[in-house]
Amino acid sequence: MSANYDALSRSIRIELDLTGTCNARCPLCARNYKHIDVKYNERHLNEITDQLDQFPNAKYVHLVGAFTEPTLYRNIYDLCRYLIKRNIAIEICTNGDTHNPEWWAELGKILTERDSVYFTICGSTQELHEIYRVGTSLANIRANAKAFREANVHKVDYIQHILFDYNAHDLESGGMDELLEEFSNINLTQTLYRRDLSVYKNSFNLDKMLITPELKRKYDVIIESAKKKWQDKVDGKHDYDIDCRSFHNRSIHIDQFGRVYPCYIWLEESRKEQWDLDYKKIKDFEYECCQICEKNCKKLMDMWDLEIL
């Protein structure tokens, strides 16, 4: 069986970038990396569905993307209807500050009990929220989420709260309680590790993008282990075991041009134009970005219930 056929036929999870554009300016977003030049591209619905037809075993589609606010895709209603017709569960992760309540109510009528929509809110006030979710309005998000929730009888709305050091007290002191109670479901998550400041195009608010001290200690251990494994590989040592999340989870990432990648980390860090769909090269540790999926690093992240870096 060819690597191409295997990668397409075995995938059950697909993360999809739809346009390569976003209305928010989150400081840690890959859109702010100097080495990434994000280009807008909005494919015709038929092109996207024709590509998704090549994944016969798909069960989940995540409309999240590395560079895209998914609700800015003009044909998202019809894309959702296509996925629902195929019995594919939809997960939408949104900043929530697009369109108007009527638009969100219509989306609420379309989605089913299998689906989920995550509205990201990072503080109980506009001042706290916009430290990370730059360019978005907390009031608009609440109004849009309310309209979606009232139109969708399945209670598939989530509030997603990203924990930073700057908003930890707001959450722990109960400042977020009223907001949390508005939503049907709650997803509390930690922020990703801030990279070296030289990586970013714009330094706005980066000084506030800090994880809690306890979390930093854990990530430092993982990063050190990952770097050592890559250096061992460069030095010709073979004491490594890549436990590729893409292969293990049967998941892939498709960018706004329709190009297929094993995951968003590979897309953001490999500096490659296109993945050749060959998992053997990943298993053989040919790409430095795969160091975070070295088995020992993955064990630590699973033990501490941490997100991939």
Side-chain angles (χ1 to χ4, degrees):
M1 181 182 295
S2 70
N4 184 305
Y5 179 79
D6 185 56
L8 299 183
S9 66
R10 72 185 304 278
S11 296
I12 63 173
R13 295 180 179 274
I14 301 170
E15 183 170 345
L16 196 59
D17 261 301
L18 290 172
T19 63
T21 191
C22 184
N23 56 303
R25 302 184 304 279
C26 303
L28 299 182
C29 180
R31 301 173 62 83
N32 196 27
Y33 294 168
K34 288 180 180 176
H35 67 271
I36 291 179
D37 181 20
V38 182
K39 296 180 180 179
Y40 171 82
N41 187 61
E42 187 166 356
R43 294 193 289 160
H44 191 280
L45 176 66
N46 289 344
E47 183 180 344
I48 294 176
T49 57
D50 285 349
Q51 182 177 31
L52 293 176
D53 284 342
Q54 299 176 35
F55 296 84
N57 296 309
K59 295 181 179 178
Y60 311 94
V61 165
H62 303 267
L63 302 179
V64 182
F67 313 117
T68 298
E69 164 52 44
T71 63
L72 293 177
Y73 181 61
R74 284 175 286 187
N75 287 314
I76 192 169
Y77 290 165
D78 287 336
L79 176 58
C80 288
R81 292 186 180 105
Y82 159 86
L83 295 170
I84 290 167
K85 188 175 181 179
R86 281 191 57 186
N87 293 316
I88 295 174
I90 303 164
E91 176 184 307
I92 298 175
C93 190
T94 176
N95 63 54
D97 189 18
T98 58
H99 308 293
N100 54 41
E102 291 72 26
W103 187 96
W104 285 94
E106 183 62 27
L107 182 65
K109 295 173 185 176
I110 294 170
L111 297 187
T112 73
E113 69 278 0
R114 293 188 307 272
D115 307 321
S116 54
V117 179
Y118 291 78
F119 295 85
T120 302
I121 294 176
C122 296
S124 61
T125 66
Q126 177 64 25
E127 291 70 27
L128 279 173
H129 169 75
E130 67 182 354
I131 289 175
Y132 183 57
R133 306 303 274 183
V134 178
T136 67
S137 163
L138 179 56
N140 289 348
I141 298 166
R142 294 177 76 171
N144 290 337
K146 182 175 184 289
F148 174 86
R149 188 164 49 249
E150 291 177 347
N152 182 278
V153 299
H154 306 294
K155 299 184 182 302
V156 298
D157 62 295
Y158 288 73
I159 180 172
Q160 177 165 274
H161 180 277
I162 304 176
L163 182 67
F164 295 85
D165 189 47
Y166 81 80
N167 65 7
H169 178 71
D170 185 46
L171 179 66
E172 294 164 0
S173 67
M176 283 290 299
D177 286 357
E178 180 181 341
L179 268 165
L180 296 174
E181 290 172 2
E182 289 182 10
F183 288 78
S184 303
N185 305 278
I186 298 171
N187 182 49
L188 302 178
T189 186
Q190 304 270 12
T191 183
L192 299 183
Y193 198 90
R194 190 189 72 185
R195 298 164 188 256
D196 186 275
L197 293 179
S198 63
V199 170
Y200 301 97
K201 301 172 187 174
N202 190 325
S203 62
F204 181 71
N205 277 358
L206 281 176
D207 59 323
K208 300 174 182 176
M209 300 295 103
L210 301 176
I211 54 180
T212 59
E214 178 185 1
L215 186 59
K216 183 178 185 305
R217 285 192 292 270
K218 293 176 179 177
Y219 270 132
D220 284 344
V221 171
I222 294 168
I223 291 171
E224 185 63 29
S225 175
K227 288 181 177 178
K228 183 179 185 305
K229 288 297 181 181
W230 176 249
Q231 189 59 52
D232 287 346
K233 164 67 165 55
V234 171
D235 293 340
K237 300 177 183 178
H238 296 280
D239 182 26
Y240 59 81
D241 183 3
I242 302 302
D243 185 10
C244 174
R245 283 172 173 76
S246 169
F247 188 84
H248 181 77
N249 296 334
R250 299 175 65 181
S251 61
I252 54 91
H253 185 108
I254 301 176
D255 75 2
Q256 66 269 31
F257 297 95
R259 296 178 297 213
V260 178
Y261 301 89
C263 66
Y264 74 90
I265 293 292
W266 203 98
L267 165 61
E268 294 173 3
E269 299 302 327
S270 69
R271 314 300 206 274
K272 300 287 183 179
E273 284 296 319
Q274 185 103 22
W275 181 43
D276 60 8
L277 304 177
D278 187 355
Y279 278 112
K280 185 178 185 302
K281 292 180 182 178
I282 292 176
K283 185 69 175 176
D284 291 342
F285 208 180
E286 292 194 16
Y287 311 109
E288 183 178 0
C289 63
C290 295
Q291 63 185 355
I292 203 61
C293 279
E294 202 283 324
K295 194 170 185 178
N296 290 329
C297 297
K298 188 171 181 298
K299 282 182 178 178
L300 289 171
M301 282 190 282
D302 290 344
M303 179 179 69
W304 288 325
D305 192 27
L306 298 179
E307 298 283 343
I308 188 170
L309 293 166

